[in-house]
């Protein structure tokens, strides 16, 4: 059964079916039937989601880089694997959305305080023992071979 022949579903009632119907309407160029208001909301939310994911991955990456730098005797394969995984996910995000690349420095600076706090908690070291400002460049954050 074609999604266009199914009675329109409300955005609030079944999100997945609503998205499928909106996609079918777009494909059929039935623009007058689109739920434009909710489509705009969802597109903006998608942008926010990608930016939040970039920030989250940068936080975890920076936390583990700090751990490696300030507890080098505890550097573990698990930390190194997490660093590698986060960089891979960041690379995938920017490959899919190159417009995120110029935001990396700003997002990393915004999220650094939390990464610093998490590193202190994870290591048991004083937060004051970690730099107040982000000590890594964007190039270092993205460099697969960089581990302090």
């Amino acid at each position: 059964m074609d999604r266009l022949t199914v009675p329109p579903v409300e955005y609030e009632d079944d999100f997945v079916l609503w998205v499928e119907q909106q996609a079918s309407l777009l494909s059929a160029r039935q623009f007058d039937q689109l739920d434009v208001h909710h489509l705009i909301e969802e597109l903006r939310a998608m942008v926010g989601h990608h930016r939040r994911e970039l920030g989250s991955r940068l936080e975890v990456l920076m936390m583990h880089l700090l751990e490696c730098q300030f507890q080098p005797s505890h550097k573990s394969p698990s930390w190194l694997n997490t660093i590698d995984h986060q960089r891979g996910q960041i690379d995938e995000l920017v490959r899919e959305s190159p417009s995120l690349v110029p935001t990396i420095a700003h997002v990393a600076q915004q999220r650094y305080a939390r990464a610093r706090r998490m590193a202190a908690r994870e290591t048991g070291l004083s937060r004051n023992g970690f730099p107040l400002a982000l000590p890594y460049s964007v190039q270092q954050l993205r460099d697969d071979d960089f581990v302090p």
Side-chain angles (χ1 to χ4, degrees):
M1 180 180 217
D2 183 4
R3 290 285 179 206
L4 295 176
T5 61
V6 175
V9 67
E10 292 296 317
Y11 172 84
E12 295 84 6
D13 293 340
D14 187 331
F15 179 74
V16 171
L17 182 56
W18 175 84
V19 169
E20 289 176 338
Q21 285 183 345
Q22 297 304 300
S24 293
L25 290 167
L26 281 167
S27 293
R29 300 191 170 303
Q30 294 181 358
F31 304 124
D32 58 324
Q33 295 183 41
L34 291 171
D35 183 353
V36 174
H37 172 74
H38 286 116
L39 280 170
I40 291 168
E41 281 183 12
E42 287 305 318
L43 290 171
R44 288 188 175 141
M46 287 171 59
V47 170
H49 169 76
H50 286 280
R51 289 189 177 143
R52 281 189 304 279
E53 183 177 354
L54 175 64
S56 177
R57 296 200 177 278
L58 283 166
E59 272 181 23
V60 174
L61 171 62
M62 292 183 294
M63 175 187 72
H64 284 287
L65 290 174
L66 288 168
E67 290 172 341
C68 287
Q69 183 174 353
F70 291 91
Q71 274 196 332
S73 63
H74 292 83
K75 199 178 292 185
S76 69
S78 174
W79 285 357
L80 297 174
N81 284 337
T82 299
I83 288 169
D84 187 56
H85 178 73
Q86 295 307 316
R87 282 181 172 144
Q89 294 299 304
I90 290 167
D91 286 347
E92 190 172 318
L93 271 172
V94 300
R95 197 171 28 257
E96 292 173 359
S97 301
S99 65
L100 289 173
V101 172
T103 70
I104 292 174
H106 178 71
V107 172
Q109 288 170 3
Q110 283 185 316
R111 298 291 191 107
Y112 176 70
R114 184 177 293 155
R116 182 176 172 254
R117 188 170 49 251
M118 292 184 328
R121 194 176 308 125
E122 287 272 328
T123 61
L125 300 173
S126 168
R127 193 181 320 172
N128 296 330
F130 296 100
L132 283 174
L134 175 62
Y136 314 117
S137 68
V138 171
Q139 181 180 359
Q140 289 171 321
L141 291 172
R142 298 197 62 206
D143 181 352
D144 288 336
D145 296 323
F146 173 76
V147 179

